[in-house]
Amino acid sequence: MSSNYGQKLAGKVALVTGGSRGIGAAIAKRLAADGASVAITYTKGADAAASVVKAIGSTGKKAIAIQADAADAKAVTAAVDKTAATFGRLDILVNNAGTALPAPFEQATLEDMDRVIDINIRGVFVATQAALKHMGDGGRIIMIGSAVGERVMVPGLVPYAATKGAVKIFTQGLSREVGSRGITVNNVQPGPIDTELNPAAGEWAVPQKAQTALNRYGHVDDIAAMVAFVAGPEASYITGANLTVDGGMNA
Ligand code: NDP
């Protein structure tokens, strides 16, 4: 795969939170294919994380995996600092770690709400603040928000959608604060993408698929391609933007 791409990210260092599987693993592999050295975080999937590191290593690129729960501020800060210490710099942060606890709103618990806030918003706050300490001119902060951060086409996602709406406005606000440093902040908003979090097979997938214009789920590489573009030099005038990759779900 790597031989088919240019090396637009040669010399760059990226950290992808939640990079052991799903969308984050695809992003880590794609950024490495484009030339970056990559760190990923994970919580439980040490084997999965090791296999992503191995896959990147087999293409001649550098990668490390760091256990860091997005809900643990100290661990997240340490992961950011370790990435910069290992590779000597930090150019790209992809805030991908996230979770959803789907339930009809009246059955959702306060614990569910706290959990999605801790991972999807608080984790983004901590990682981004830590990363900005290391980032220089041309840095890239990339959020993985969600199409449901703008329009909610299916039931059961109120707490999750609220956190992704917060990620959207976080992106817009932060872009104004770091623009003077030449750092861009963008929010990639996936629609239904086939992963363990949102499998394309099963009952839960039926209404989501039906809401897309293309009548199908997307692939993790569809999101990785957008992230790689935003991370690259051609996207230097894109900031504060919400970039939806959803098969037309929100059309
Ligand atoms: P998956 O559940 O398939 O993968 C999640 C990844 O994040 C894993 O590598 C997991 O590793 C890691 N992770 C989970 N919890 C934490 C945590 N607390 N701290 C650090 N890492 C964690 O999810 P997806 O790939 O589907 O989703 C990735 C992102 O994309 C999320 O932000 C999600 O909200 C967003 N998204 C996904 C959509 C979809 O349809 N799939 C649609 C819209 C947005 P481990 O298990 O080891 O912790």
Side-chain angles (χ1 to χ4, degrees):
M1 182 175 164
S2 59
S3 59
N4 295 331
Y5 291 109
Q7 297 290 292
K8 289 185 301 188
L9 301 179
K12 304 286 187 193
V13 174
L15 170 61
V16 182
T17 65
S20 62
R21 56 189 163 81
I23 292 169
I27 292 168
K29 289 176 189 169
R30 175 63 199 260
L31 296 181
D34 283 359
S37 299
V38 180
I40 58 170
T41 64
Y42 65 96
T43 57
K44 296 183 285 283
D47 290 347
S51 75
V52 171
V53 168
K54 198 174 163 196
I56 291 172
S58 72
T59 67
K61 301 298 186 335
K62 292 185 188 131
I64 56 168
I66 307 163
Q67 187 178 31
D69 189 326
D72 178 344
K74 274 192 188 148
V76 170
T77 302
V80 171
D81 292 346
K82 186 175 175 184
T83 302
T86 303
F87 295 123
R89 54 190 292 149
L90 179 60
D91 305 283
I92 301 157
L93 170 68
V94 184
N95 281 306
N96 167 79
T99 201
L101 300 163
F105 179 70
E106 288 179 85
Q107 287 163 29
T109 66
L110 194 53
E111 288 72 26
D112 292 347
M113 188 71 210
D114 286 343
R115 181 89 183 133
V116 290
I117 288 172
D118 283 354
I119 297 173
N120 300 358
I121 306 178
R122 195 170 171 275
V124 169
F125 175 97
V126 174
T128 302
Q129 218 169 46
L132 283 168
K133 292 204 173 79
H134 299 281
M135 245 176 224
D137 193 59
R140 298 280 194 267
I141 306 281
I142 303 169
M143 316 295 184
I144 305 300
S146 172
V148 305
E150 284 196 324
R151 295 186 73 197
V152 190
M153 309 298 286
V154 292
L157 292 174
V158 173
Y160 174 75
T163 65
K164 294 300 188 177
V167 165
K168 173 181 185 285
I169 209 73
F170 186 122
T171 301
Q172 293 171 223
L174 183 62
S175 70
R176 303 237 174 228
E177 292 207 24
V178 297
S180 60
R181 292 172 56 188
I183 295 172
T184 67
V185 190
N186 290 291
N187 178 29
V188 174
Q189 302 189 125
I193 303 295
D194 187 16
T195 65
E196 281 175 46
L197 183 68
N198 189 7
E203 209 178 309
W204 174 242
V206 175
Q208 295 186 71
K209 189 179 139 188
Q211 291 293 346
T212 66
L214 297 175
N215 195 34
R216 65 175 176 84
Y217 263 51
H219 190 272
V220 290
D221 290 340
D222 297 324
I223 305 306
M226 177 61 95
V227 171
F229 176 70
V230 172
E234 293 161 296
S236 63
Y237 200 57
I238 300 174
T239 195
N242 301 294
L243 305 162
T244 303
V245 183
D246 70 347
M249 181 181 244
N250 285 359

